[in-house]
């Protein structure tokens, strides 16, 4: 089956086949078993197969950040997860994704924050303060969430669902944490804070991933990151408002700045780890409380609690150097679970 008629010419003059996405040099045979998802994906995202690497090297993972990308590529990312655009497991790539959209989201957030900053600081317009706080609170957590969104190789979760989890999961986890704090009353310390908040987020994350629709490790990472992003952003907005009400404008900006810097290694990463660990032990099984006492889940959850407790410990030098080390530790585990998630994809493809 030849397809010389199925040619798309991109802005720089290169020709590609709409059916299989290969660079069009001569007539060739397209893949016949591609779904609608991959026909469209190849149309807007002509990345050569050799441009992907299974090695978790930073120069490989972030190699596409500084390259030019079309609006069609961004649009393709946001349409996945529906009944028509979720790829079959046989079509999912099990090599390391190369995210890039998160960097654009971060730049847009910075530009929006700069606009609000000008409105508040130079024009003294108080109407810009709510936007300043909200954009400042969501910029780093949401950027980190987009990274996990792009790393979700199965591409089986619609973006509107992710936003739903950010909003509902974020506030629900905060309310559950308040219930735990109310029970603890005067026994509040870094250890109990770590237990209460991580348990609250774990309960919320498991509520969303317990159904077998989201059975992949990478699904757990994404949904956990969504809950963590909501928790982190709402918490930062609260601290920023407190700083504003104290009458110290510099403290407002410092709160947003430092909490933004450490957001990727805080609640977002911790909740993502919990979600991934749970999906790893659940697999295709129905939900069972016994899954929560599996060693593979407990070791990750306890690690998250310990990191959180150390994060809040008032040890000299903990801020900022200790938190930088804890951020690095969290992301080492994140990368290990991403590797495990991609390996899981490869194993499931062999079973098809």
């Amino acid at each position: 089956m030849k397809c010389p008629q199925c040619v798309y010419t991109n802005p720089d003059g290169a020709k590609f086949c709409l059916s299989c996405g290969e660079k069009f040099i001569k007539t060739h045979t397209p893949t016949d078993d591609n779904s609608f998802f991959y026909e469209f994906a190849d149309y807007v995202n002509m990345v050569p197969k050799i441009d992907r690497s299974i090695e978790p090297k930073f120069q490989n993972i972030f190699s596409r950040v500084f390259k030019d990308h079309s609006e069609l590529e961004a649009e393709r990312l946001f349409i996945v997860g529906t009944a028509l655009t979720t790829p079959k497991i046989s079509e999912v790539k099990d090599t390391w994704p190369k995210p890039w959209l998160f960097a654009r989201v971060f730049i847009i957030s910075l530009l929006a924050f700069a606009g609000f900053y000008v409105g508040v600081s130079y024009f003294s317009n108080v109407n810009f303060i709510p936007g300043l706080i909200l954009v400042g609170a969501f910029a780093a957590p949401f950027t980190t969430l987009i990274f996990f969104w792009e790393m979700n190789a199965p591409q089986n979760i619609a973006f509107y669902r992710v936003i739903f989890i950010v909003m509902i999961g974020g506030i629900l986890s905060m309310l559950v944490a308040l219930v735990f704090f109310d029970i603890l009353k005067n026994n509040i310390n870094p250890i109990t804070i770590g237990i209460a908040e991580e348990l609250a987020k774990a309960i919320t994350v498991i509520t969303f991933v317990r159904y077998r629709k989201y059975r992949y490790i990478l699904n757990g990472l994404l949904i956990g990151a969504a809950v963590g992003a909501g928790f982190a952003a709402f918490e930062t907005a609260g601290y920023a408002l407190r700083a504003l009400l104290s009458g110290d404008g510099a403290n407002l900006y410092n709160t947003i700045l430092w909490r933004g810097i450490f957001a990727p290694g805080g609640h977002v990463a911790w909740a993502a780890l919990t979600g991934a660990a749970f999906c790893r032990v659940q697999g295709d099984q129905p939900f069972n409380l016994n899954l929560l006492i599996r060693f593979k889940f407990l070791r990750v959850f306890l690690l998250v609690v310990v990191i959180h407790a150390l994060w809040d410990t008032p040890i000299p030098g903990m801020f900022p150097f200790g938190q930088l080390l804890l951020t690095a530790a969290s992301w080492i585990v994140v990368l290990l679970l991403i590797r495990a998630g991609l390996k899981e994809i490869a194993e499931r493809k062999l079973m098809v």
Side-chain angles (χ1 to χ4, degrees), residues 36-57:
F36 168 83
F37 172 85
Y38 262 91
E39 289 181 14
F40 185 77
D42 284 333
Y43 169 55
V44 299
N45 189 16
M46 283 71 102
V47 181
K49 306 299 185 289
I50 59 174
D51 192 39
R52 302 172 68 88
S53 171
I54 197 168
E55 294 300 323
K57 298 177 181 178

Side-chain angles (χ1 to χ4, degrees), residues 60-77:
N60 290 331
I61 298 175
F62 301 112
S63 62
R64 299 189 67 207
V65 169
F66 299 104
K67 293 183 178 180
D68 292 332
H69 298 278
S70 67
E71 289 188 11
L72 281 174
E73 288 184 80
E75 291 172 1
R76 198 276 294 176
L77 292 174

Side-chain angles (χ1 to χ4, degrees), residues 7-28:
V7 177
Y8 165 74
T9 303
N10 67 9
D12 62 7
K15 295 181 182 294
F16 297 87
C17 173
L18 293 183
S19 178
C20 64
E22 294 296 330
K23 191 168 184 178
F24 187 81
I25 300 175
K26 57 183 179 179
T27 57
H28 57 285

Side-chain angles (χ1 to χ4, degrees), residues 322-345:
Q323 292 176 349
L324 286 173
L325 290 175
L326 293 173
T327 296
S330 297
W331 274 88
I332 288 173
V333 183
V334 166
L335 292 174
L336 289 173
L337 283 174
I338 291 176
R339 177 189 282 275
L342 294 172
K343 182 179 179 181
E344 177 188 43
I345 296 295

Side-chain angles (χ1 to χ4, degrees), residues 33 43 47 97 107 128 190 206 213 248 253-254 301 317 325 343:
D33 60 352
Y43 169 55
V47 181
I107 292 173
F128 282 73
I206 291 171
K213 178 181 178 182
D248 188 351
Y253 293 119
N254 285 335
F301 178 72
L325 290 175
K343 182 179 179 181

Side-chain angles (χ1 to χ4, degrees), residues 11 33 35 67 141 146 159 177 184 209:
D33 60 352
S35 66
K67 293 183 178 180
I146 295 298
F159 193 71
L184 293 169
V209 302

Side-chain angles (χ1 to χ4, degrees), residues 7-328:
V7 177
Y8 165 74
T9 303
N10 67 9
D12 62 7
K15 295 181 182 294
F16 297 87
C17 173
L18 293 183
S19 178
C20 64
E22 294 296 330
K23 191 168 184 178
F24 187 81
I25 300 175
K26 57 183 179 179
T27 57
H28 57 285
T29 303
T31 304
D32 291 326
D33 60 352
N34 275 356
S35 66
F36 168 83
F37 172 85
Y38 262 91
E39 289 181 14
F40 185 77
D42 284 333
Y43 169 55
V44 299
N45 189 16
M46 283 71 102
V47 181
K49 306 299 185 289
I50 59 174
D51 192 39
R52 302 172 68 88
S53 171
I54 197 168
E55 294 300 323
K57 298 177 181 178
F58 284 108
Q59 62 265 34
N60 290 331
I61 298 175
F62 301 112
S63 62
R64 299 189 67 207
V65 169
F66 299 104
K67 293 183 178 180
D68 292 332
H69 298 278
S70 67
E71 289 188 11
L72 281 174
E73 288 184 80
E75 291 172 1
R76 198 276 294 176
L77 292 174
F78 287 107
I79 69 166
V80 300
T82 69
L84 289 177
T85 58
T86 298
K88 295 177 288 187
I89 186 62
S90 59
E91 298 170 329
V92 175
K93 296 178 180 179
D94 52 22
T95 51
W96 282 78
K98 294 186 177 181
W100 58 271
L101 186 64
F102 74 97
R104 273 54 169 186
V105 171
F106 183 62
I107 292 173
I108 292 171
S109 299
L110 288 182
L111 291 174
F113 184 81
F116 285 114
Y117 177 82
V118 170
V120 173
S121 298
Y122 291 93
F123 294 99
S124 301
N125 192 321
V126 296
N127 290 338
F128 282 73
I129 292 178
L132 178 83
I133 293 176
L134 286 176
V135 173
F138 272 94
F142 192 72
T143 296
T144 310
L145 174 61
I146 295 298
F147 173 84
F148 282 106
W149 162 258
E150 294 184 88
M151 296 301 285
N152 181 42
Q155 297 185 307
N156 59 336
I157 304 177
F159 193 71
Y160 82 89
R161 183 66 177 173
V162 174
I163 298 302
F164 171 82
I165 295 172
V166 169
M167 298 300 176
I168 302 303
I171 188 59
L172 180 60
S173 58
M174 293 187 75
L175 291 173
V176 174
L178 288 179
V179 172
F180 289 145
F181 287 139
D182 190 57
I183 294 173
L184 293 169
K185 296 187 183 300
N186 296 324
N187 297 316
I188 304 296
N189 56 62
I191 296 177
T192 56
I193 291 174
I195 294 173
E197 292 191 354
E198 295 311 319
L199 186 58
K201 285 183 291 182
I203 292 172
T204 307
V205 172
I206 291 171
T207 299
F208 287 111
V209 302
R210 59 179 294 185
Y211 302 105
R212 283 176 286 175
K213 178 181 178 182
Y214 305 131
R215 59 188 181 276
Y216 300 112
I217 295 173
L218 295 175
N219 291 167
L221 274 170
L222 174 58
I223 293 177
V227 172
F231 192 104
F234 295 148
E235 189 178 57
T236 296
Y239 282 122
L241 179 60
R242 284 189 180 188
L244 177 66
L245 295 178
S246 71
D248 188 351
N251 191 28
L252 167 64
Y253 293 119
N254 285 335
T255 298
I256 292 175
L257 173 64
W258 285 109
R259 288 187 64 86
I261 290 174
F262 289 116
H267 292 296
V268 184
W270 301 335
L273 291 174
T274 300
F278 179 78
C279 286
R280 191 177 192 181
V281 299
Q282 184 181 28
D284 289 326
Q285 306 174 60
F287 174 76
N288 191 310
L289 289 176
N290 291 332
L291 296 173
L292 303 180
I293 60 175
R294 295 277 186 88
F295 178 69
K296 281 188 176 181
F297 173 77
L298 282 179
R299 67 182 179 183
V300 175
F301 178 72
L302 292 177
L303 175 64
V304 166
V305 170
V306 169
I307 291 176
H308 192 158
L310 289 173
W311 190 283
D312 292 336
T313 301
I315 299 174
M318 179 55 68
F319 176 82
F321 303 109
Q323 292 176 349
L324 286 173
L325 290 175
L326 293 173
T327 296

